[in-house]
Amino acid sequence: MSSLDTNPATFCTGDADSSFQPLNADDVRSYLHTSVDFICDYYKSVESLPVLPSVEPGYLRRLLQPAPPTCSAPFNVTMKELREAVVPGMTHWASPNFFAFFPSTNSAAGIAGELIASAINSVGFTWQASPAATEMEVLALDWLAQLLRLPPSFMNRTGAAGRGTGGGVILGTTSEAMLVTLVAARDAALRRIGSDGMAGITRLTVYAADQTHSTFFKACRLAGFDPANVRSIPTREEKDFALEPERLLEAMEADAAAGLVPAYVCCTVGTTSSNAVDPVGAVADVAAGFKAWVHIDAAYAGSACICPEFRHHIDGVERVDSISMSPHKWLMTCLDCTCLWVRDSLRLTGSLETTPEYLKNDVSDSGIVTDLKDMQVGTGRRFRGLKLWMVMRTYGAAKLQEHIRSDVAMAKMLEGLVRADDRFEVVVPRNFALVCFRIKPHGGAMAEDEAEEANRELMERLNKTGKAYLAHTVIGRKFVLRFAVGSSTQEERHVRSAWELIQKTTTEMMMEATEKLIM
């Protein structure tokens, strides 16, 4: 069928007099029971599924009708098509054999929270629009801030004297956290130089290491910064690819001497390529001399900082303006959930606040609460705080810390296995639960370009098996394989099995190469 059916009576069956009840209680119960069974069966079987599907672009349109149906279908028909067409085309992030990217973790409590929040379906743009949703988000953020041992200045505080200056909000992604803080920093810098409106924006400069996530540079464009004024500070292998305060200072001084205005520095704790950690305190000290906003992007590694042994990675946080981390990556809370805290929420709401007449109310006007719509780009917002609270309430700090430590221990084990095989090298010291390694060049027998070709081939062969999925990066001009431990279903046996597959595949490649030379 290539177009909509214009004669429903010809094909539709059922009672024509029955009314449409999308929330019929019996249907809700039946559909959700069926869906829960599907989810449970999926988690039981996901280990046996190919991690990376072998489908071709456009496959789904060939399996499912290209035009929307005119008539209803039994729910079991929909579920049958889901199982037979959609699941085979999924890359299974939930698989214990998924090692490609930082994990997208999940948990029974997280799934339950997401399900209940979706069912309640509140749109909590103001406190009045959904008091419990707003206060649950505030509470969950304060709980997590306490686990991270953030200073009180970042807390959402309410009381008889009104709100404190700090506050937080749950956003969808790190990109949003960067964007809203860039906008606030932009406006603060413009006020500082006495610019009328946006006239002075071409003078503003922003800074980040060259290992900073690419979304930062995208967010800078969206916030209106001149691309020519976005500084990507080169990093070095001997400094483990972290941002060097000396180089940052040099760049900021040069810009200030040229009449430009340093406005924002992004400091990363756990870069995507290698898990490099920028020195928070030292970076904050440099930025303070220019009154520039400092933001910590701890999207992945921030979760580890709930463990006392990793907390030092954000030492100096009391001197920054904002910090964000994503519990959906490593803290068992399903997508999407990025937590942003700011030391002075008024600087954020001053740039993002909207006050249409139809949203005005006495509580908002009182100043006792901050309407969370004024700390994000849009107005509408999901009830994300529920699943984060349910995860922390159900598992407690001890189990969440146990989860982090287990993943780190498995990654440390893998690092040892890699170092024990002289065909491989660990390219950068392991941080947290990411191991960056490669087949190393063997003296004059394998040049650097040949090493890249060998590692690329190894990755492609591994991924084609469906038994493991790895991704790559380029660090210091070296093509490197990234092995990220952390799937919610992962155990030590999965890591060992993947390493055995890596070794076996490498041996096969080297034997084939030797045979070619002999021939």
Side-chain angles (χ1 to χ4, degrees), residues 184-261:
R186 177 199 69 193
D187 292 352
L190 290 172
R191 288 192 299 270
R192 194 164 66 247
I193 63 176
S195 175
D196 182 17
M198 299 293 285
I201 195 170
T202 56
R203 293 178 57 198
L204 306 186
T205 54
V206 297
Y207 307 83
D210 60 6
Q211 298 298 305
T212 302
H213 198 285
S214 60
T215 194
F216 170 72
F217 304 99
K218 179 179 181 179
C220 288
R221 294 198 305 272
L222 291 172
F225 289 95
D226 186 339
N229 290 345
V230 178
R231 309 288 183 244
S232 180
I233 310 295
T235 56
R236 298 184 292 166
E237 184 173 0
E238 52 266 39
K239 295 294 184 178
D240 296 332
F241 300 101
L243 177 62
E244 296 178 53
E246 300 81 6
R247 290 190 168 193
L248 174 64
L249 177 60
E250 181 181 330
M252 297 180 85
E253 286 180 334
D255 284 334
L260 299 175
V261 180

Side-chain angles (χ1 to χ4, degrees), residues 284-308:
D285 288 343
V286 170
F290 302 88
K291 298 182 180 179
W293 184 295
V294 179
H295 174 71
I296 300 175
D297 168 18
Y300 161 72
S303 294
C305 294
I306 69 169
C307 300

Side-chain angles (χ1 to χ4, degrees), residues 30 144 166 170 178 219 249 363 418:
S30 172
L144 186 52
I170 301 179
M178 288 179 172
L249 177 60
V363 177
V418 174

Side-chain angles (χ1 to χ4, degrees), residues 17-64:
D17 296 328
S18 63
S19 60
F20 177 43
Q21 297 179 316
L23 284 177
N24 175 277
D26 291 336
D27 286 345
V28 170
R29 189 179 303 277
S30 172
Y31 292 6
L32 290 187
H33 280 174
T34 300
S35 299
V36 168
D37 287 342
F38 168 83
I39 291 168
C40 293
D41 291 342
Y42 174 74
Y43 277 108
K44 284 182 178 179
S45 64
V46 69
E47 180 177 350
S48 64
L49 300 175
V51 190
L52 200 63
S54 58
V55 298
E56 298 293 332
Y59 92 98
L60 193 62
R61 183 174 289 271
R62 292 190 292 270
L63 294 178
L64 302 178

Side-chain angles (χ1 to χ4, degrees), residues 125-126 128-129 354-361 373 379:
F125 33 64
T126 63
Q128 187 183 62
T354 55
T355 55
E357 187 63 35
Y358 50 83
L359 292 184
K360 290 181 179 179
N361 61 85
K373 68 176 176 59
T379 299

Side-chain angles (χ1 to χ4, degrees), residues 1 26 103 155 165 193 204 206 237 259 284 300 350 408 427 491 500:
M1 184 184 295
D26 291 336
M155 299 291 184
T165 59
I193 63 176
L204 306 186
V206 297
E237 184 173 0
Y300 161 72
V408 172
V427 179
E491 300 173 6
E500 290 169 4

Side-chain angles (χ1 to χ4, degrees), residues 265-297:
V265 180
C266 183
C267 184
T268 305
V269 175
T271 59
T272 301
S273 282
S274 66
N275 251 341
V277 176
D278 296 339
V280 172
V283 168
D285 288 343
V286 170
F290 302 88
K291 298 182 180 179
W293 184 295
V294 179
H295 174 71
I296 300 175
D297 168 18

Side-chain angles (χ1 to χ4, degrees), residues 326-370:
S326 299
H328 64 237
K329 287 187 180 294
W330 205 9
L331 213 58
M332 318 302 293
T333 307
C334 51
L335 276 166
D336 49 9
C337 184
T338 290
C339 299
L340 169 67
W341 295 270
V342 290
R343 190 152 44 89
D344 184 354
S345 62
L346 297 179
R347 297 175 72 188
L348 198 61
T349 58
S351 295
L352 301 173
E353 184 178 20
T354 55
T355 55
E357 187 63 35
Y358 50 83
L359 292 184
K360 290 181 179 179
N361 61 85
D362 291 342
V363 177
S364 295
D365 292 342
S366 72
I368 295 175
V369 301
T370 292

